[in-house]
Amino acid sequence: MVISSGRPTMVDVAADAGVSLKTVSRVVNRISTVDPEMAERVYESIRKLGFRRNDVAASLRSGTETRTIGLITADLSNTFYSTLSSAIAAVARERGFHVIMSSSEENDELERSTALDLCQRRVSGLIVVPTSSDHSYLRAEVELGIPVVFLDRPGNGLEADAILVDNQGGASDAAAGLIARGHRRIGLLLDDLDIFTMRERLTGVQRAMRAAGLSLDDSIVSYDSHSPDDAVAAMAGMLDLSDPPTAVLCGNNRSTIGAVEEIWRRTADVEVVGFDDFEMSRLLPQAVTIVDYDTEALGVASAERLFDRIAGDTSDPRRVLLPTRLVSRGGRWPVAPDHA
């Protein structure tokens, strides 16, 4: 008997059990007409060889869907997306589904190719954190019965459900709080404005400042703070100005980390407000205010909406806004390390 190298196949099982490939196929597919003694030989070979059925390949051959959903996030290095993914996976497990997860890395073409590849694998539905400016490429897939739910950002060019955070409201509340505490020079550390959440957060800040008769100073606004290091550099530039900001509002958790690092290093007197809470925020050396929301609830809501669609819900697409709240974090260190 010759066993093929790599993962054992039904051909290997047939050879080991001394039966035909058709018999193995009937046993694997639980067809009851197979002779019990012969079926037991097949099961023994399956156990011995460690054979596992390829359900994806089987579904592609039969034309049926797999019990899987696809999830495309924007940046797997951000803990925000790992929390979302865990929440979605938990809902899927409760329903007997698996999640195939990937990341677009904020690249339009990678998002498109990944989404279409998942559809070719006959996933039962897709949850997408959009990067692309045009999702009409998914219209044919939706018409063929694969529901799509957009998460954290709305899609473009495709009518579909969207589960979002109240970004404008949260940013407006945060900026209004800074203004109420006497700040007039408020810096901003934002990521690329091509990102929907960044545009919404900028709009919220502008709304609060207009209400107070103030306007943003472009010299203390950064639109390319994608990583903590980017935020460190942008914050350093602002602090080097002859008239630096007295407060800074950070567009995401990564820019909050970078801003606090540079402010703390210089022992500068700058109040920090940041979007998106994160696991270690309570250990920040400087007191910060976080625009917080229930990230897990965001993931759960998107998954539940998708499974409603998979179950046959044909109601009009809806946009759901989850509320935000302001919470206090950090501020447990008495002095900066360099000055201890």
Side-chain angles (χ1 to χ4, degrees):
M1 177 185 64
V2 178
I3 302 297
S4 62
S5 60
R7 179 177 295 177
T9 66
M10 285 200 295
V11 172
D12 298 327
V13 173
D16 186 77
V19 299
S20 69
L21 179 60
K22 183 177 180 180
T23 296
V24 174
S25 176
R26 292 169 69 193
V27 172
V28 167
N29 288 291
R30 294 178 173 82
I31 296 174
S32 61
T33 56
V34 179
D35 177 75
E37 183 180 343
M38 191 175 291
E40 183 52 39
R41 282 162 50 194
V42 171
Y43 283 128
E44 178 59 32
S45 294
I46 286 173
R47 288 189 290 269
K48 181 171 73 174
L49 299 178
F51 169 79
R52 297 183 68 181
R53 171 179 169 171
N54 187 336
D55 287 328
V56 172
S59 69
L60 290 174
R61 285 193 297 271
S62 67
T64 61
E65 293 179 347
T66 60
R67 291 186 67 80
T68 59
I69 61 171
L71 169 61
I72 303 175
T73 66
D75 181 1
L76 286 177
S77 66
N78 193 325
T79 56
F80 167 72
Y81 293 113
S82 62
T83 301
L84 283 179
S85 302
S86 295
I88 291 166
V91 174
R93 281 195 301 272
E94 290 174 357
R95 289 160 172 77
F97 278 70
H98 296 286
V99 179
I100 302 176
M101 184 171 62
S102 187
S103 173
S104 69
E105 301 301 325
E106 302 286 6
N107 181 289
D108 289 17
E109 185 51 41
L110 181 56
E111 178 207 283
R112 183 180 187 278
S113 61
T114 301
L116 292 177
D117 178 68
L118 288 169
C119 290
Q120 284 187 333
R121 293 171 184 269
R122 300 191 186 279
V123 293
S124 298
L126 281 177
I127 298 175
V128 181
V129 177
T131 292
S132 176
S133 59
D134 183 8
H135 293 92
S136 59
Y137 68 84
L138 284 170
R139 186 172 296 118
E141 306 298 335
V142 171
E143 290 172 353
L144 288 171
I146 298 179
V148 174
V149 171
F150 292 116
L151 174 58
D152 190 45
R153 313 166 186 174
N156 299 284
L158 180 71
E159 289 295 319
D161 298 300
I163 311 299
L164 314 173
V165 169
D166 183 10
N167 293 285
Q168 277 198 37
S172 181
D173 290 345
L178 289 173
I179 294 167
R181 291 189 289 278
H183 295 287
R184 295 297 179 266
R185 284 187 60 74
I186 300 172
L188 286 182
L189 296 179
L190 299 173
D191 205 339
D192 195 326
L193 289 185
D194 285 341
I195 300 173
F196 169 81
T197 52
M198 293 298 115
R199 295 196 304 273
E200 290 288 286
R201 292 168 188 182
L202 174 61
T203 299
V205 172
Q206 290 171 328
R207 187 173 77 196
M209 296 193 77
R210 279 196 305 270
L214 302 172
S215 60
L216 287 172
D217 180 344
D218 288 342
S219 69
I220 52 174
V221 178
S222 169
Y223 297 115
D224 57 4
S225 294
H226 179 66
S227 69
D229 286 344
D230 294 335
V232 166
M235 195 72 243
M238 293 181 192
L239 293 176
D240 285 339
L241 296 172
S242 59
D243 189 14
T246 62
V248 63
L249 198 153
C250 304
N252 60 29
N253 51 20
R254 308 187 84 190
S255 59
T256 301
I257 292 169
V260 170
E261 179 181 343
E262 185 62 13
I263 291 167
W264 186 247
R265 186 181 70 81
R266 297 196 187 202
T267 63
D269 185 14
V270 179
E271 184 173 351
V272 178
V273 175
F275 250 90
D276 309 332
D277 202 4
F278 53 99
E279 192 171 64
M280 303 298 286
S281 65
R282 291 168 177 79
L283 299 181
L284 288 173
Q286 174 173 335
V288 301
T289 300
I290 299 291
V291 183
D292 186 32
Y293 48 89
D294 193 334
T295 307
E296 184 175 337
L298 190 67
V300 168
S302 68
E304 290 181 342
R305 190 68 192 130
L306 183 67
F307 282 112
D308 285 346
R309 293 299 189 187
I310 291 171
D313 184 345
T314 59
S315 61
D316 290 340
R318 66 182 66 167
R319 179 177 290 201
V320 177
L321 278 185
L322 270 67
T324 62
R325 60 180 183 138
L326 299 178
V327 297
S328 298
R329 296 285 186 259
R332 304 209 173 184
W333 298 91
V335 293
D338 289 345
H339 300 270

